[in-house]
Amino acid sequence: MLRRNVVVVLLLALVWVVMNERLSPLAVGSGLVVGVAALWLTNRLLRIDYATTVFLSPVATVRYGLLLAKEITVAAWHMAVTIVRGRATVTRFELVSELEDEVLLFLLANSIILTPGSVALDRDGRRIVVLTCDDDVERAVAACRRVERAIARIGKGRS
């Protein structure tokens, strides 16, 4: 079990280290223990085999993380400027995603929530209702599409 899921355990350990805001041997070691325990409990209680159910392309996942960090930074700067200039306009739009996988759609909706100035209000299938206070709705839609493409690359190998 563990040999087939090394990437999942390493990702869980990385999340653990980030959550603890400390890079130390103790944080890494406890993250690995928590990762193995979480994987074991999930496999045992939910009867999920991560090797066949969940697949994350490591390169695409890193690219997604970097793109999301860039989108968050750019949106934060743009929203600060928009608000200071008094041009914030609350607008609602619908994003119909090309993604079909429920997990990837969930990741897209949560990525939108992380972007300053935008909130995913509702999701019905592939349709996501987004509320933004950006003064340029086309820019907000384009940002959502860039994140969607990055998420699609993550899911290329999902079973």
Side-chain angles (χ1 to χ4, degrees), residues 36-101:
V36 169
L39 186 67
W40 181 80
L41 282 171
T42 304
N43 283 339
R44 179 130 173 118
L45 297 176
L46 299 178
R47 304 199 191 292
I48 293 174
D49 180 18
Y50 276 97
T52 57
T53 306
V54 178
F55 176 81
L56 299 176
S57 165
V59 173
T61 302
V62 169
R63 287 179 65 192
Y64 159 74
L66 292 173
L67 175 74
L68 185 60
K70 178 191 142 226
E71 292 295 337
I72 289 170
T73 303
V74 169
W77 175 258
H78 178 72
M79 286 312 307
V81 169
T82 300
I83 290 169
V84 167
R85 290 184 177 166
R87 294 189 338 214
T89 307
V90 177
T91 309
R92 181 179 166 208
F93 67 90
E94 289 187 9
L95 178 75
V96 179
S97 176
E98 298 295 320
L99 300 171
E100 295 181 12
D101 187 281

Side-chain angles (χ1 to χ4, degrees), residues 10-55:
L10 292 175
L11 285 172
L12 291 171
L14 177 65
V15 168
W16 180 263
V17 169
V18 169
M19 286 175 47
N20 282 290
E21 299 177 353
R22 182 175 307 132
L23 180 60
S24 68
L26 179 62
V28 172
S30 62
L32 290 171
V33 169
V34 168
V36 169
L39 186 67
W40 181 80
L41 282 171
T42 304
N43 283 339
R44 179 130 173 118
L45 297 176
L46 299 178
R47 304 199 191 292
I48 293 174
D49 180 18
Y50 276 97
T52 57
T53 306
V54 178
F55 176 81

Side-chain angles (χ1 to χ4, degrees), residues 121-139:
L121 295 176
D122 187 26
R123 186 177 81 80
D124 183 19
R126 297 183 339 179
R127 184 185 62 83
I128 301 173
V129 179
V130 180
L131 185 70
T132 183
C133 57
D134 197 330
D135 62 337
D136 184 356
V137 175
E138 288 78 28
R139 180 185 4 245

Side-chain angles (χ1 to χ4, degrees), residues 55-68 71 95 97-115 123 128 143-158:
F55 176 81
L56 299 176
S57 165
V59 173
T61 302
V62 169
R63 287 179 65 192
Y64 159 74
L66 292 173
L67 175 74
L68 185 60
E71 292 295 337
L95 178 75
S97 176
E98 298 295 320
L99 300 171
E100 295 181 12
D101 187 281
E102 285 293 316
V103 173
L104 299 178
L105 284 162
F106 179 76
L107 182 59
L108 175 60
N110 280 289
S111 298
I112 291 169
I113 290 171
L114 290 173
T115 308
R123 186 177 81 80
I128 301 173
C144 291
R145 291 289 180 203
R146 284 191 296 273
V147 172
E148 179 186 31
R149 284 190 299 272
I151 291 171
R153 285 190 293 270
I154 290 174
K156 286 271 193 239
R158 270 183 61 84

